[in-house]
Amino acid sequence: MHHRVQNFLNSVNLGTGLRRQPADQSTAPRSPPRGEWDNGPRKIRRGAGLETSRIAVKGIEFGGPGFVVIAGPCAVEGAEQMELAASAVRRAGALMLRGGAFKPRTSPYAFQGMGEPGIRILSEAGRRHGLPVIAEVMDASQIPGMLERVDVLQVGARNMQNFSLLRALARLRRPVLLKRGFCSTVREWFLAAEYLLDGGNEQVILCERGIRTFETALRNTLDLSAVAYAKLHNRLPVIVDPSHATGNRDLVIPMSLAAAACGADGLLLEVHPDPDRALCDGPQALAPDEFQTLMEKLPKVLESVGRFLGAPSLSRASV
Ligand code: PEP
Ligand code: MN
């Protein structure tokens, strides 16, 4: 009896997950390599002596010596607004056009974005002005409709740890802009990027957009030290969004210059043809003339850190 019980115990999984077997069998759990017990970021790490990975979007390069400015309204509101926004930001030297069609709003009663028609308006404005476009994807079901028209898919701060969305984006071969969650640590941000790389999508750009702290004078606290830290340890390009970080257009120019000085690879800025009438985030939107002023100030700061303001590529210069 005793032997039969022992044999039985040897042959079954006891329900605790502990199957009795010699440790040298190939099915025995392998110890992770030393130093990786913490499941920390691996694939986004910068190899010794290696430069930032360069990510190309229709001839525009993120992570190279050129600094990339992306600008446009918080939300697509209509064809005329996007035409005015695109022509203004293109004239001032922006390389890409932004505009949200699926908007993650705190209140269900606030403007939620135009949805698919907004994506069409954004892409047409971008095409007319030779600007690749970026828009936020809130849900994996929106991906097919966006792939045809959107050059960079943005994961918003509120979705940074939406792991099923990250896994769906990881299967694509399309650049993703991953915003830092406003309550996320730097490590959580890096691990969210790791989901994309681990799933096979290497085209990831990080974006610092401010975090929530005890400070209440501003919408968020712009964590530029996290930008310098990310650049030091990772190989992914990092851009900064001073619009959501400050919530105040008067602070967007100084924080943009600070971002350029601390080693960011570019900016994501809200610019609206008529900020006082914006349906979303008007107080933090620059008017076209303010955006022009910023673009004139950037080259000097960039020069001091060995960078330059990215210029439209030759093929688009005639547009
Ligand atoms: C945005 O860029 O449109 C946006 C909603 O930003 P965030 O996700 O950083 O709040
Ligand atoms: Mn916004």
Side-chain angles (χ1 to χ4, degrees), residues 105-126:
R105 304 304 302 279
T106 300
S107 167
Y109 310 120
F111 175 56
Q112 304 285 303
M114 291 182 69
E116 287 258 1
I119 294 290
R120 251 194 318 278
I121 290 171
L122 170 73
S123 97
E124 279 161 17

Side-chain angles (χ1 to χ4, degrees), residues 70 74 98 103 154 156-157 177 179-180 206-211 219-224 227 238-247 251-252 255-256 259 264 266-270 281 284:
I70 307 168
C74 177
R98 67 153 285 153
K103 296 302 302 175
Q154 176 174 323
L177 181 79
K179 289 193 137 193
R180 179 180 177 187
L206 297 173
C207 180
E208 160 62 32
R209 48 76 75 209
I211 52 173
R219 184 171 179 181
N220 289 289
T221 297
L222 178 55
D223 187 3
L224 286 183
V227 175
V238 185
I239 69 169
V240 170
D241 170 355
S243 308
H244 292 91
T246 61
L251 296 170
V252 168
M255 291 302 98
S256 296
L267 294 168
L268 177 71
L269 292 164
E270 288 189 346
D281 284 350
Q284 68 194 33

Side-chain angles (χ1 to χ4, degrees), residues 69-73 81-99 122 125-126 129-133 269-273 286-292 295 309-310 312 316:
V69 177
I70 307 168
Q81 170 237 22
M82 285 311 298
E83 171 55 28
L84 292 171
S87 68
V89 303
R90 174 75 167 85
R91 203 174 323 114
L95 296 189
M96 278 185 66
L97 180 65
R98 67 153 285 153
L122 170 73
H129 293 275
L131 298 168
V133 299
L269 292 164
E270 288 189 346
V271 177
H272 194 286
L286 294 179
D289 61 325
E290 296 166 319
F291 179 60
Q292 173 80 39
M295 294 301 276
L309 192 56
R316 299 183 311 117

Side-chain angles (χ1 to χ4, degrees), residues 143-263:
I143 294 175
M146 293 180 76
L147 277 179
E148 256 178 69
R149 303 177 193 273
V150 177
D151 302 292
V152 178
L153 298 170
Q154 176 174 323
V155 176
R158 291 155 191 80
N159 262 324
M160 188 202 83
Q161 285 190 315
N162 180 338
F163 298 116
S164 57
L165 178 61
L166 294 176
R167 290 231 188 258
L169 293 167
R171 289 193 286 274
L172 308 178
R173 297 296 172 265
R174 182 67 55 92
V176 172
L177 181 79
L178 180 65
K179 289 193 137 193
R180 179 180 177 187
F182 50 74
C183 293
S184 296
T185 64
V186 162
R187 180 184 148 82
E188 287 162 348
W189 185 29
F190 293 173
L191 283 168
E194 196 77 17
Y195 267 86
L196 295 165
L197 271 72
D198 188 49
N201 191 347
E202 298 254 328
Q203 300 181 76
V204 179
I205 303 159
L206 297 173
C207 180
E208 160 62 32
R209 48 76 75 209
I211 52 173
R212 190 165 280 180
T213 68
F214 53 80
E215 180 52 64
T216 55
L218 299 170
R219 184 171 179 181
N220 289 289
T221 297
L222 178 55
D223 187 3
L224 286 183
S225 51
V227 175
Y229 183 85
K231 290 286 299 179
L232 188 64
H233 292 288
N234 295 334
R235 59 193 175 92
L236 302 178
V238 185
I239 69 169
V240 170
D241 170 355
S243 308
H244 292 91
T246 61
N248 178 341
R249 77 169 64 95
D250 295 334
L251 296 170
V252 168
I253 292 181
M255 291 302 98
S256 296
L257 299 176
C262 83

